[in-house]
Amino acid sequence: MVNVIGLGYIGLPTALMMASHGIEVVGTDYNKELVDTLNRGETTFKENGLDELFSSALESGIVFTTEYQVSDIYIVSVPTPYNEIDKKIDPCFVIDAIKTLLQVAPEGAVCVIESTVSPNTVDRFVRPLLEKAGRQDVALVHAPERIIPGNMLSELLCNNRTIGADDPEVGNRVARLYASFCKGEIAITDIRTAEMTKVVENTFRAVNIAFANELAKICRIGGMDVYEVIRIANKHPRVNILQPGPGVGGHCIPVDPWFLVGDYPETANFTRLALQTNKEMPEYVMRRAFEAMRERGLSGSSKVGIYGLTYKEDVDDVRESPTLQMLRSMDEHLCIEPVRVYDPWVSEDVAPNQVHTLEDFLDGLECVIVMVGHSQIKGRPEAFSGCLIIDPRNVMGSDGNVVKL
Ligand code: SAJ
């Protein structure tokens, strides 16, 4: 039996995928409301194919509870935030999960940590818990998740995986478990290497996006089209530059690289600069919008709307979202005051002046800042006809009313 601890964006799909591939799975989360929702047969977030997978897992007998189970294998997928001040990982949720599972884990159980952790977290924070509890019989594994929101389920099936284990035998056993649904290649290594590779993967993406964002600023000053420059540069067989945008959000790309900066502050300078570059983008877009409005005779008090609250297109996750970052800088600088904010994927109120239909959003609008390229409007500038369109996502085509980064 597998007990998946933490039923959020990673734990839930993983538990469902395993259950629907014939593995006996119990999903545990300390949030009773979330467990009750799942037990009513409802999913807790939107993701392509998740509802269908949920039905199939229910048919296969998956169970959700707040209780930790007696189980051969635990998969820990709890959040790993970072401490805003020293930029180091805050492993409190991992520590709580391990402490609790040690109270029920049978002898020789395997504890697989899927949560992203900084290099050395297992040695510094998890191993001592086993020693203190006299439970060195429990085998530790780090199998970092790699699935991208928006395409999670097919990536769960197809992505290559990393398994870090102290004992290669245990690594092989866990690899067999994942291979029951995962068609990708499974690399077995030690725990520290697995911890580091995960952080490196997200840091690579953050740095690549920062480069694209820097290019956008350079091209703007130099009067060049950054998208054309990147498109053509990427035709080179060894160049693959990502896209500039209004900022980098989500719980991974703007967070995980800080683990390197926090642990290696003297050395991780390049990473720090990349994070800083990305962080400046929402404010850059705000200034760009203000400038474009002025050029068109619109003032800061014109009717400006912000389209999109999520951290990227076609997901419902607003964590670290560039729009929320931009709203904060608007509060500070007050150069533009948005009259309203709208996101078709976000039904609860997370921003001031948020409206819940496109019709309400458009009413009398003079300028729209498209912060997220949801499918609802992608490639459809006519959705905002009559408005000046600020398009930092490059999703609105290029008619005269569209202003790029
Ligand atoms: N973004 C850009 N330009 C791009 C690509 C993305 O500005 O060219 C922005 C997005 O709009 C978004 C942010 O970056 O605001 C992050 O989005 P993302 O799609 O790059 O990544 P995430 O956070 O959804 O998922 C990442 C993935 N990591 C890598 O691709 C290396 C995913 O595979 C990981 O599982 C996930 O982080 C995680 O949980 O660690």
Side-chain angles (χ1 to χ4, degrees):
M1 198 245 268
V2 174
N3 188 193
V4 176
I5 312 292
L7 298 173
Y9 286 98
I10 301 302
L12 182 64
T14 305
L16 300 178
M17 189 60 86
M18 286 186 170
S20 70
H21 281 78
I23 297 164
E24 189 188 351
V25 179
V26 176
T28 298
D29 199 293
Y30 79 140
N31 179 344
K32 183 166 182 312
E33 210 181 312
L34 182 143
V35 169
D36 287 346
T37 306
L38 295 172
N39 280 330
R40 278 200 307 274
E42 295 163 29
T43 47
T44 42
F45 64 95
K46 294 179 207 153
E47 173 64 35
N48 287 327
L50 191 66
D51 289 341
E52 293 76 5
L53 184 66
F54 189 51
S55 303
S56 135
L58 285 176
E59 274 165 32
S60 310
I62 191 167
V63 171
F64 305 106
T65 169
T66 53
E67 302 295 322
Y68 284 58
Q69 304 295 302
V70 175
S71 178
D72 322 317
I73 301 193
Y74 295 89
I75 294 186
V76 175
S77 44
V78 294
T80 42
Y82 75 92
N83 184 322
E84 282 283 350
I85 296 160
D86 65 8
K87 311 295 186 199
K88 292 181 190 234
I89 191 169
D90 177 356
C92 61
F93 296 113
V94 174
I95 291 174
D96 282 350
I98 305 286
K99 276 187 182 163
T100 315
L101 76 81
L102 285 179
Q103 291 166 18
V104 293
E107 189 168 355
V110 178
C111 172
V112 182
I113 298 171
E114 276 216 22
S115 310
T116 302
V117 292
S118 58
N120 263 338
T121 298
V122 169
D123 282 349
R124 279 173 56 207
F125 298 103
V126 179
R127 233 179 264 290
L129 299 174
L130 269 60
E131 280 158 23
K132 201 167 163 207
R135 292 303 311 269
Q136 285 97 327
D137 60 287
V138 172
L140 290 174
V141 171
H142 181 43
E145 60 84 11
R146 269 181 173 168
I147 52 178
I148 198 150
N151 196 26
M152 282 181 157
L153 304 186
S154 59
E155 292 214 346
L156 205 44
L157 290 169
C158 301
N159 279 5
N160 303 327
R161 296 199 72 112
T162 316
I163 308 268
D166 294 329
D167 175 356
E169 273 306 305
V170 174
N172 280 320
R173 194 174 145 206
V174 173
R176 282 197 298 278
L177 171 71
Y178 282 106
S180 63
F181 62 88
C182 167
K183 299 181 191 68
E185 185 189 318
I186 302 184
I188 298 178
T189 183
D190 60 87
I191 290 178
R192 285 189 70 199
T193 306
E195 290 173 320
M196 184 65 171
T197 49
K198 168 66 200 210
V199 174
V200 163
E201 289 157 17
N202 280 352
T203 303
F204 174 77
R205 198 157 171 85
V207 167
N208 194 334
I209 297 169
F211 179 55
N213 284 334
E214 183 167 292
L215 287 179
K217 291 182 186 170
I218 292 173
C219 287
R220 164 117 190 89
I221 298 165
M224 291 164 272
D225 176 345
V226 67
Y227 303 105
E228 181 78 342
V229 168
I230 291 177
R231 188 180 70 78
I232 294 171
N234 282 350
K235 299 274 180 200
H236 185 290
R238 283 173 296 283
V239 175
N240 183 16
I241 307 166
L242 289 169
Q243 293 300 304
V248 171
H251 193 57
C252 312
I253 308 287
V255 174
D256 301 351
W258 282 115
F259 298 160
L260 295 182
V261 179
D263 286 344
Y264 302 93
E266 307 287 315
T267 316
N269 297 318
F270 185 56
T271 305
R272 184 191 293 105
L273 191 59
L275 288 164
Q276 198 54 44
T277 304
N278 292 336
K279 210 170 171 196
E280 285 165 8
M281 290 312 289
E283 201 174 319
Y284 178 80
V285 171
M286 184 185 66
R287 278 189 271 114
R288 179 87 188 91
F290 185 59
E291 193 184 278
M293 283 166 61
R294 243 193 354 215
E295 278 163 17
R296 315 268 162 137
L298 293 171
S299 73
S301 56
S302 304
K303 292 199 169 158
V304 182
I306 299 183
Y307 178 89
L309 270 162
T310 61
Y311 81 94
K312 66 176 185 180
E313 70 287 353
D314 299 337
V315 299
D316 64 1
D317 190 342
V318 298
R319 288 178 297 175
E320 315 278 330
S321 120
T323 300
L324 294 176
Q325 294 174 43
M326 188 162 87
L327 288 170
R328 276 196 296 273
S329 35
M330 281 179 171
D331 266 355
E332 281 157 26
H333 303 290
L334 278 181
C335 80
I336 301 176
E337 204 167 341
V339 281
R340 53 190 91 106
V341 182
Y342 169 65
D343 191 310
W345 283 74
V346 181
S347 47
E348 67 281 25
D349 281 320
V350 296
N353 305 322
Q354 187 179 339
V355 295
H356 293 282
T357 66
L358 188 57
E359 208 185 356
D360 285 345
F361 179 69
L362 293 173
D363 186 26
L365 211 63
E366 291 167 279
C367 173
V368 59
I369 308 177
V370 180
M371 291 294 280
V372 186
H374 290 308
S375 307
Q376 184 193 38
I377 50 89
K378 188 172 179 181
R380 295 185 53 237
E382 67 277 12
F384 302 120
S385 70
C387 288
L388 169 63
I389 303 174
I390 313 295
D391 180 22
R393 292 280 183 186
N394 192 28
V395 289
M396 301 307 293
S398 48
D399 79 31
N401 276 335
V402 177
V403 174
K404 304 284 177 193
L405 257 185

